[in-house]
Amino acid sequence: TNWTSGAALLTVAQQCVGKVPHRCGRTTPSGWDCSGFVQYVCAQVGVSLPRSSGAQASVGTAVNGIGNAQPGDIIANSTHVGIYVGSGMVINAMAPGTYTGYSAISAVFSGGYSIRRVL
């Protein structure tokens, strides 16, 4: 595992917190949805991802259980995706009317999710 890359990905994600509004279907720092945010952040560290959260839930390498997740891993299911920061939290583009920010995994993933390591 390349910890440096995970840290770099997380640094890019953290720079977006509180600054970028949620915009459905958008993929740039002027506004994005959850998968647009993750796609953009990963691109900044050289990782190309598909556009939808469902497709992002199958990229990279599967991580078995949140206890094995590392900062920079992607948490995703068919309806939402975020970037894991540790302690059960993700950075994500949550909903219209909000800005990119921190959320508890339990608050934004009502069902199952996959943990994917893309670095």
Side-chain angles (χ1 to χ4, degrees):
T1 300
N2 189 335
W3 168 249
T4 306
S5 296
L9 192 152
L10 201 53
T11 297
V12 174
Q14 288 170 328
Q15 290 169 351
C16 304
V17 170
K19 297 177 183 170
V20 181
H22 185 285
R23 296 281 186 265
C24 289
R26 302 280 296 279
T27 61
T28 72
S30 64
W32 48 42
D33 57 20
C34 63
S35 54
F37 161 65
V38 173
Q39 185 183 51
Y40 173 87
V41 169
C42 287
Q44 303 315 297
V45 295
V47 176
S48 178
L49 290 187
R51 174 68 182 93
S52 72
S53 60
Q56 291 174 3
S58 64
V59 297
T61 305
V63 175
N64 186 17
I66 199 67
N68 294 314
Q70 293 182 354
D73 287 347
I74 292 172
I75 311 285
N77 64 21
S78 63
T79 59
H80 194 63
V81 61
I83 297 172
Y84 189 62
V85 294
S87 303
M89 301 289 288
V90 292
I91 298 176
N92 61 149
M94 297 164 279
T98 66
Y99 285 81
T100 301
Y102 296 93
S103 298
I105 291 172
S106 58
V108 290
F109 292 97
S110 56
Y113 54 82
S114 59
I115 306 164
R116 312 298 297 190
R117 189 156 298 149
V118 297
L119 297 160

